[in-house]
Each structure stands twice: as C-alpha cells, then as structure tokens.
Amino acid sequence: MSDKNDHIKDLGRRHFLRNSAITGVAGASLAGGFGAGAMMGSRPAEAAANNEHHVGPGELDEYYGFWSGGHSGEVRILGIPSMRELLRIPVFNVDSATGWGITNESKRVLGENAPRNGDTHHPKVSYTDARYDGRYCFINDKLNTRVARIRLDIMRADKIVTIPNVQSIHGLTLQRVPRTERVYAAGEMIIPLGNNVQHMDDPSEYWTMMTCLDADTMEIKWQAIVDGNLDNCDTDYSEKYVAASCYNSSRGMTLPEMMGPERDWTVIFNVPAIEQAIANGESTTVGDSAVPVVDAREQAHSGRNPFALYVPTPRSPHGVNTMPPEGKYCVVSGKLSPTCTVIEWSRVDAWFDGSLDDPRDTVVAEPEVGLGPLHTTFDNRGNAYTSLFLDSQVVKWNVEDAIRAYNGDEVNYIRDRIDVHYNIGHIKASLACSRDVDGKYLAALSKFSKDRFLPVGPMHAENDQLIDISGQQMTLIHDGPTYAEPHDALMIRADQLNPSQTYTRDDPYFAETVAMARADGVDLETANTVIRDGNKVRVYMTSVAPNFGLTEFRVKQGDEVTVVVTNLDNIADVSHGFAMVNHGINFEIHPQQTSSATFIADRPGVHWYYCSWFCHALHMEMSGRMLVEPA
C-alpha cells in the first residue's frame, strides 16, 4: 500500500535543488519576472514508446559525440543515439591504460614539467565552410590555462599550448569559414597585466584577455585586453567577429561585488581591425611574452572602440551561441536574468561601420524563457533550446517569434518544455554549431543526479540525457549516469570523421623516436637490440602477437633505460601494451605504432615485462625479463 504522502516526497525531491539554488541567489534580483517562461507548465519527460532510436548489437551509431571530461582532464567519445562510451582521449591527465603522460611521445606533447591534470570544458571540432571536416578537436584546460589540439585520425593530442598573460581559459571557439585557421580562447580570471607584484593589491588594475591562436601551428597570434571576466564565446559565420559573454563587469573580487550590475556585457571583437592594427605596428607586449597585444578595453578609447563592441546584456551572461545554418543571430543567456539576448550579426556590422550609435541597437530580442538560462542550441526549423539551471528544464522557443514579441506583437514564442534531472548545465543539439544542423537529437548535461541511480557513497554521478527533438514536442530517449564532470558536448555525423584503423610508419607522432633510432643505426621494423651509451641504455624491440622481439635484456643498477617497442602487426584492433612490473611503466602500442618510455633501473634482480593489452590466445605468455645487475 503506497504512502499517501508519496507525491509530496516526489515533489520535494524534484524541487529540492531548484529551491536551494534559488535561495542561494536570493541576493540577485531576477529582474523581469517569469513572463512567457511561465505560460506553459512543465511536461514530465517520457521514454519514446517505439524503438526507432535503438542501436542494436553490432550496429553503428549515426553520430560521434564529443564530451568534455571536466576535471578528469580528458575528452570522451560517445556514439549517438546509443550513448555508448567508445573512447576516452587523455589530454591533460595521466592515463595508465594508454601510457599518456608516461611515454616519451606523450611527454613531448604535454611538456616535461607541465601539470598532469586539467579541467576540460569546451570541445570544438574544426570546420571547412562551417561544416565539420574531422581534422581536429580543440579543447581548453581552465585549471592550468592551456589549449590542446587533438588529431582526430588517431584520437591523440599532438599540441598543447600554455596561454600567457591570463589565468583560466574558459571559453573556446573556432573560425568557421572558409576553414578553421583561428582558435579563440577566452581568459576568465582577471589579474594585473604581467601578473607582477606592483598591482597585486590593487584590483582596479586587474584585467583579462581574448587570445587568438593559429589552428595549423598552434602559435599564439595576438591577444586583446578587455574589461571584466570573459566566459563563453562563439564566432559568426564570416571571418570577422568573435563574441564572448563578460560577467563581473565591475571587476569585483567578492561574490556581492561580482553580482552588482543589472547588466554586464557581450563583448564582440573585430578580428580584421585587431589584425590590421598589429600589422601596422600598433600593438604592445605584456610581461615576458612576445605576443602582440592590443588594448580593447572600453575605457581605453574615447568614442567608438575599433577593436571591441560592448553590448550591455542582463545579468551575469554565460552561454554564447550563433544560430545556424546562416549564422544570422547570436543568442546570449543571462544566468541571473530569466532572459536570453538575441544579437543580429548584421547590426554588429552597422555598429562598427558607424551606422548605429547605441550598442543596444544590435539587440533584436530579449525573450523571457525561465529561471537560470545557461546555454542555447538550435534545430533546423528556426527554434532555439535553452537550458534552465534553476528550473531543471529545457525550453524550446522560436527565434523569429521572439523578435516579433520584442517589437510589440502579441505572440507566444515558447513552443515546449521538458524536465531534466537535475540542474542542467550545457546543452547541444546534433550538428547545431554547423551549417548541417539537422534538428534530430539534443544532449542535456545535468549537474546532479541525486536520487536517480544506486548510491555509491558521497560522490554522486551526474546525469546525461538524450532528447528527441525531431517532433513538435521533446521526448526523452536516454537517461544515464556519467563520471564527473562533462561541461559541454557536440555531435557530428559519423561520415564527417574518418579515423585511422592503424598507424602509418611515417606518422609524425613518433617521428622523434624514429630519429633517435636512426641515430643509433637501428631499423625499428627489424631490429631487436640493446644500445649502451654510458649509463644510458636504449632497448629496441618489435612486437608481433604473441611475442616481443626481445624476451630478455640486461642492464646495470642505476642505468637510465629507454624501451622502444614497435608493433609490426598490421591488423586493426591487434594492439599490444608494454608493462614493466614495479616500475610504473605501461603504455599502448597499436598496429604499426612505435612507443617508448624512459625509467631508472634502480633495483637489481629480475623484473618481468608483459603485454598489457589482450592480443592473442597466448597473450599471458607474451612477456620477457629485464635483468638488472648490481652496481
């Protein structure tokens, strides 16, 4: 017999986090009330009644999903719509399965003394003509102020760059046309220029910057100083602009100070103007960095700022998203306002041309959508979908109708709502950052799961949900836990990615190791030998299932040993690992790959190594001995 108060308990669970969050921001007036956001009651999400989204055993998904791994420091690859996790790509972290952060090849990418952790936020896949081209995925590290590039043929990072003059890269976005040549990285935390002690106690001298990198070389092209804390960012569908939300426009140091203004800014950078000024020698440098810097602060220019447009935007703006497929509008979500701000890119042109005097004239709509709007994504039918953190909902609204309402027409622009569990952060529809936007699926990344799954101690899972948005109403089709903490995601069609099944022998990823072998007179594809150079020993061996080319090698106590293994198998999925017992060494060697690791043989005796990736019926026998003679 059910408890007559069950419905009250359910209600309490559903609204606990929402009410707590509202209490937490009670000091911030959510100006404007609920308006259109309250016109429709929330509809409980229900699983699809049919089986059209099921991906059976052996069947392939329609999309690749790129999920940030948050403070794991990685990027995750999911199949969509199955939501099956296919791969974890280590980027800023150490990964004992693959040897990332252990092998010499990965250490060259990471940098020898770089931190071995990170906080990944915004994965972005490269474009050609605003369509995903499958070359690279870029990802930021908010924790250690870095940007990484991942090669999507081998799913491994090949470049990691530390950004000077700023702290905490949060927003990350890419040039869309004609191809991705520029990567934009928004610095969040404000610090004194050069971060010297002269202004350490004077927050009025704290600033941050937008950084532009060359996507092909990963060299830093320029930086622009701005007011306030930069947050998320996105580009238009030309080569001209990158827009970033900017909270804490008062440049406060405490929470009350940061939440002070009723409006902060959307800052829109004029890329051609910045790069022309640098070409003309009208730039400077900051601290020890040689990167060209322009001053795009509002206060640094009398009259019209040639480098940046500051659009007043309610309140503590967060998500910035350009609407596909033409890229006509940009939608900015205000965390502490129930509104989204719609900016028309052609009006940004007009402001920089001098045709508009008021930055607010670039705004064409400000729909009220609900409590705690964070991020917006789109379908191919003119609709926007905004995540509501406090309401634990996704709201669907029509952009053109919102513009009509802003101009005084009596029109309801809200199309639908769906509950998500709980307190949603990022949101992304299939292909929604490209011209190919198709309006099929929407991923909802909820920050809390609370009571949705079996408890596993104080740390609770987060909850990824997949929603079918192909019809008039949104329908929940997947609900499942995820490891902390995905911040953002995107989906590209499976045919837009062509990952390699095996390595090629001329892959630049291990080119330095090949050069080392050549200097030693070693052919990696045939040699199984030991080269001694003083107390430095280089051990070269091949692997073919189920054998290593060397089943023993001998070194002396205290030797610096570098083991280089080349996998001669040429069959997809026949991977090997090299694990040296009690030495902290384990790394992957996929077909035709060369990998290496260096360690000190500091303990005399017998030390076994073995293949750590199951490769053959005799996998357990694939092993060998390192014999360490006493010093």
Side-chain angles (χ1 to χ4, degrees), residues 266-491:
T266 301
V267 184
I268 302 175
F269 297 88
N270 187 330
V271 175
I274 291 171
E275 295 187 351
Q276 185 61 56
I278 292 171
N280 294 342
E282 300 167 6
S283 62
T284 185
T285 59
V286 171
D288 296 330
S289 169
V291 174
V293 175
V294 299
D295 194 341
R297 290 174 289 188
E298 187 78 335
Q299 67 174 30
H301 298 273
S302 56
R304 196 172 297 268
N305 187 331
F307 303 133
L309 162 62
Y310 287 74
V311 181
T313 306
R315 176 176 190 190
S316 195
H318 188 58
V320 181
N321 304 95
T322 295
M323 182 179 180
E326 297 88 4
K328 186 176 181 180
Y329 304 113
C330 180
V331 177
V332 185
S333 307
K335 295 196 301 284
L336 302 183
S337 167
T339 61
C340 290
T341 299
V342 182
I343 296 170
E344 187 171 338
W345 285 113
S346 64
R347 295 191 178 209
V348 174
D349 282 334
W351 190 89
F352 279 110
D353 289 344
S355 304
L356 294 180
D357 293 325
D358 187 346
R360 283 286 298 178
D361 288 341
T362 61
V363 175
V364 294
E366 212 148 64
E368 294 180 351
V369 294
L371 282 177
L374 291 185
H375 299 278
T376 299
T377 190
F378 307 93
D379 63 22
N380 57 349
R381 301 177 295 277
N383 299 310
Y385 300 76
T386 298
S387 59
L388 303 176
F389 180 82
L390 299 184
D391 279 336
S392 288
Q393 287 185 335
V394 174
V395 57
K396 174 183 177 180
W397 53 280
N398 184 269
V399 176
E400 292 295 341
D401 280 354
I403 295 171
R404 290 171 56 200
Y406 189 74
N407 291 328
D409 292 350
E410 293 187 7
V411 57
N412 180 10
Y413 43 80
I414 302 294
R415 295 291 188 264
D416 192 24
R417 295 179 182 274
I418 189 170
D419 290 341
V420 290
H421 305 287
Y422 299 95
N423 295 83
I424 183 175
H426 272 280
I427 184 175
K428 197 61 62 67
S430 49
L431 299 165
C433 297
S434 74
R435 292 194 198 278
D436 297 319
V437 57
D438 61 7
K440 288 188 177 182
Y441 297 110
L442 181 148
L445 280 59
S446 296
K447 297 299 182 184
F448 302 97
S449 65
K450 194 166 172 57
D451 51 8
R452 310 255 329 148
F453 312 114
L454 284 173
V456 288
M459 180 175 172
H460 290 246
E462 297 184 21
N463 191 15
D464 282 350
Q465 295 183 301
L466 191 69
I467 297 168
D468 178 3
I469 60 171
S470 60
Q472 290 187 348
Q473 288 191 316
M474 296 177 280
T475 305
L476 179 68
I477 60 173
H478 170 86
D479 179 296
T482 186
Y483 186 64
E485 176 189 351
H487 285 280
D488 197 6
L490 60 84
M491 289 177 258

Side-chain angles (χ1 to χ4, degrees), residues 595-615:
S595 292
S596 66
T598 301
F599 58 93
I600 302 298
D602 55 358
R603 284 159 286 179
V606 176
H607 302 274
W608 284 89
Y609 52 90
Y610 63 90
C611 177
S612 55
W613 287 67
F614 201 97
C615 60

Side-chain angles (χ1 to χ4, degrees), residues 36 80 118 141 146 157 161 166 179 223 249 258 317 332 351 445 469 509 590 606-607 618:
I80 310 295
D141 173 15
R146 294 179 289 183
V161 178
V166 297
R179 60 186 287 271
Q223 293 182 306
S249 56
M258 291 181 182
V332 185
W351 190 89
L445 280 59
I469 60 171
Y509 181 70
H590 298 302
V606 176
H607 302 274
L618 295 176

Side-chain angles (χ1 to χ4, degrees), residues 1 36 41 55 69 73 95 107 112 209-210 239 276 326 344 383 411 433 460 506 549 565 595 603 605 630:
M1 185 172 182
V55 182
D95 181 67
K107 286 180 178 179
E112 282 292 339
M209 301 187 188
M210 175 63 74
E239 302 176 64
Q276 185 61 56
E326 297 88 4
E344 187 171 338
N383 299 310
V411 57
C433 297
H460 290 246
D506 59 353
V565 186
S595 292
R603 284 159 286 179

Side-chain angles (χ1 to χ4, degrees), residues 53-55 59-64 78-84 86 493-495:
H53 307 290
H54 177 68
V55 182
E59 295 180 357
L60 302 182
D61 281 285
E62 187 176 356
Y63 303 88
Y64 285 97
L78 275 64
I80 310 295
S82 73
M83 298 295 284
R84 298 183 293 216
L86 306 175
R493 284 198 323 269
D495 64 87

Side-chain angles (χ1 to χ4, degrees), residues 530 537 539 541 550-563 578-583 585 599-610 623-629:
V530 177
V537 178
V539 180
M541 69 177 75
L550 285 178
T551 56
E552 72 172 50
F553 63 89
R554 191 176 297 266
V555 298
K556 292 182 171 60
Q557 183 182 4
D559 281 347
E560 179 188 276
V561 180
T562 298
V563 175
F578 181 89
M580 178 64 73
V581 176
N582 293 336
H583 284 75
I585 297 298
F599 58 93
I600 302 298
D602 55 358
R603 284 159 286 179
V606 176
H607 302 274
W608 284 89
Y609 52 90
Y610 63 90
S623 59
R625 295 172 299 153
M626 176 177 71
L627 307 176
V628 182
E629 299 175 348

